[in-house]
Amino acid sequence: MSMLVLGSLFGVVTLLFMFSGAPIAFALGSVAVLFMALFMPASALDTITQNVYEEMASITLLSIPLFILKGAAIGKSRAGQDLYAAMHVWMGRIPGGLGIANVFACALFAAMAGSSPATCSAIGSAGIPEMRKRGYSPGFAAGIIAAGGTLGILLPPSITMILYAVAAEQSLGRLFLAGIMPGVLLVALFAIYAALRYRKEYALAEAEYKRSGAASALLANESFTNRQKFEMLPRVVPFVLLLIGVMVALYGGFATPSETAGLGALLALALIAVIYGVWRPKDVAPILQSTLKESTMLMFIIGMSLLFSYVMSYLHISQATAEWIVAMQLSKWVLLAAVLLMVILLGFFLPPVSIILMTAPIILPPLKAAGFDLIWFGILMTIVMETGLIHPPVGLNIFVIKNIAPDIDLRDIIWGVLPFVVLMLLAVLLICIFPGIATGLPDLVMGVAAKAH
């Protein structure tokens, strides 16, 4: 059988299993085992567990359950609501300040929890009702939270970036650092849009008031005293210090990523015990159950995806595809555009974890041969995969928002997130034009660290 026929058959069978409705882990594992049985030596089936174990025997992957535990500890407490409330109080007087406060709250919570759905749920459950009560349109309120939640896979610590670092064999520390400035760029773009959209909605509300006398809650002025502002800090500052402490431990060379994840998890549990009194077994049990469930699901997907990639490599499908792409002699930027378009299309159906582990063996060799920095590309790929979390038909964050705000029409949510998809693609374009946005901070920090040693 020719490599073209084998590769095409592999792709078609994979799509059939994916669209069958089977869980992703089972779909990928089934395809891998089927092709092992048909096209590999019979003894290969006896080594499935060994192959999965060897592929997953990475100390970097150990940090994933620990980061999930840290995120669950923060997500299951009132930290999200308190963080949102503090941002609201401190930014209330800025035009569109409530929308901007939600963007900043999402960014900080995402950096602490590392999970997009958790960020949407924690900040959205408080933020969406508050914005709607103050006159923000349903689609605008939903769009801000859904888009803000996507920052969870870009700002460190990001589970998606951990998997990319493993798949691309790149430094996790450099990758985490590379995500910071693009994350700040997205926060700035989201905040600017929130302010401009607020001005538009405010003008419409003002015109409606002059026309009919019906005053929207958007026109009401709300102010907070300095005392109210400072009363909000004690519940928020410890978590910000936790975030700073984890980053210092990681980038200061005091701890490995896995040790940092363990430290963050223990400190998060300690903080919710002290601040919110979450220390009794009945209070801690939901956190541990959530961590166990999410970690098991994610690690199972990772294991089956790595087995899937191993079979592709053994049958030379990934190598042949990569060689075929290189042989096309596309210009480097056309190649990059084609790869990112493929990632966008895959984002219609697959979560970021599966996209990374399935495509890395195929797309990374041609990109490396074209001279692209794989750390820099990892940031572009992450932002493009972020759009998959909020664009239909399978945007996970859209359904999280629909769950916490069932009275908002799904059409309004989709129209509300589309401007943020455009902003994310604008960020990708800016990072292509100015690559230092992604590479500048890692080069600076690693350079300083090298001189210090």
Side-chain angles (χ1 to χ4, degrees):
M1 184 180 293
S2 70
M3 187 57 63
L4 176 60
V5 174
L6 180 61
S8 301
L9 181 63
F10 191 86
V12 169
V13 172
T14 300
L15 290 175
L16 289 175
F17 272 90
M18 286 291 185
F19 291 126
S20 69
I24 291 171
F26 288 105
L28 295 178
S30 299
V31 173
V33 171
L34 177 62
F35 275 77
M36 288 177 80
L38 294 177
F39 299 102
M40 292 171 63
S43 58
L45 292 173
D46 298 330
T47 63
I48 290 176
T49 53
Q50 180 184 345
N51 286 328
V52 172
Y53 175 80
E54 289 177 352
E55 294 287 343
M56 294 185 69
S58 166
I59 192 67
T60 304
L61 291 179
L62 177 62
S63 62
I64 291 179
L66 295 171
F67 277 128
I68 290 175
L69 175 58
K70 171 173 167 275
I74 296 170
K76 294 292 183 180
S77 69
R78 295 197 311 276
Q81 287 84 346
D82 284 350
L83 182 61
Y84 162 75
M87 288 292 177
H88 176 205
V89 168
W90 279 88
M91 306 185 73
R93 294 187 65 84
I94 301 173
L98 185 56
I100 297 172
N102 277 281
V103 173
F104 277 86
C106 283
L108 285 174
F109 192 88
M112 290 189 290
S115 168
S116 293
T119 302
C120 275
S121 180
I123 304 300
S125 59
I128 290 178
E130 287 295 321
M131 282 190 284
R132 296 192 65 190
K133 187 169 71 176
R134 287 166 175 78
Y136 285 69
S137 65
F140 181 30
I144 287 178
I145 300 297
T150 65
L151 296 169
I153 68 170
L154 180 62
L155 293 169
S158 162
I159 293 170
T160 302
M161 284 191 176
I162 295 172
L163 296 177
Y164 179 83
V166 172
E169 298 180 349
Q170 299 294 311
S171 164
L172 180 59
R174 287 183 66 88
L175 197 59
F176 275 179
L177 281 170
I180 293 176
M181 292 310 297
V184 172
L185 172 64
L186 281 177
V187 169
L189 290 175
F190 291 174
I192 291 169
Y193 172 75
L196 294 176
R197 176 65 184 266
Y198 171 83
R199 288 178 181 275
K200 178 182 177 181
E201 294 204 353
Y202 188 90
L204 291 173
E206 206 168 32
E208 179 64 21
Y209 175 70
K210 290 178 179 178
R211 187 182 67 82
S212 64
S216 167
L218 205 64
L219 302 177
N221 290 318
E222 186 177 24
S223 60
F224 299 94
T225 65
N226 287 333
R227 180 178 178 180
Q228 288 175 306
K229 292 180 179 180
F230 284 102
E231 282 177 348
M232 295 302 302
L233 293 181
R235 286 184 178 268
V236 177
V237 169
F239 290 99
V240 176
L241 293 177
L242 165 64
L243 175 62
I244 294 172
V246 167
M247 293 297 104
V248 169
L250 179 60
Y251 300 124
F254 300 108
T256 65
S258 299
E259 292 167 345
T260 302
L263 174 66
L266 290 175
L267 289 178
L269 289 170
L271 283 176
I272 64 171
V274 172
I275 297 175
Y276 300 107
V278 180
W279 56 270
R280 298 175 183 84
K282 67 175 183 178
D283 298 325
V284 178
I287 295 173
L288 299 180
Q289 289 171 355
S290 173
T291 301
L292 185 61
K293 181 179 179 181
E294 187 173 346
S295 299
T296 302
M297 176 190 69
L298 189 56
M299 297 303 284
F300 196 41
I301 292 175
I302 293 169
M304 293 301 100
S305 297
L306 291 172
L307 181 65
F308 181 87
S309 299
Y310 165 76
V311 173
M312 285 181 66
S313 178
Y314 186 94
L315 297 176
H316 291 277
I317 295 173
S318 54
Q319 295 93 321
T321 306
E323 289 170 3
W324 174 69
I325 294 173
V326 171
M328 292 175 67
Q329 296 184 336
L330 300 173
S331 72
K332 61 185 295 186
W333 295 107
V334 172
L335 172 63
L336 178 67
V339 168
L340 292 179
L341 178 61
M342 180 186 72
V343 173
I344 289 175
L345 294 176
L346 289 174
F348 281 104
F349 312 104
L350 299 174
V353 172
S354 298
I355 293 175
I356 290 173
L357 296 174
M358 288 175 61
T359 62
I362 296 173
I363 65 175
L364 295 183
L367 289 169
K368 189 174 182 179
F372 287 113
D373 181 347
L374 294 187
I375 293 285
W376 173 84
F377 172 73
I379 299 305
L380 292 187
M381 187 175 183
T382 300
I383 296 175
V384 169
M385 288 189 298
E386 280 185 329
T387 66
L389 293 171
I390 59 173
H391 69 52
V394 196
L396 178 60
N397 285 11
I398 291 177
F399 296 103
V400 173
I401 295 298
K402 183 62 179 173
N403 184 56
I404 62 176
D407 58 320
I408 300 180
D409 190 75
L410 187 60
R411 181 182 299 178
D412 290 335
I413 298 174
I414 291 173
W415 280 109
V417 300
L418 288 181
F420 294 96
V421 173
V422 174
L423 291 175
M424 289 179 185
L425 297 179
L426 173 61
V428 169
L429 181 61
L430 290 174
I431 295 171
C432 287
I433 298 172
F434 306 104
I437 295 173
T439 59
L441 188 58
D443 291 343
L444 176 64
V445 173
M446 296 302 178
V448 171
K451 290 180 180 177
H453 289 294

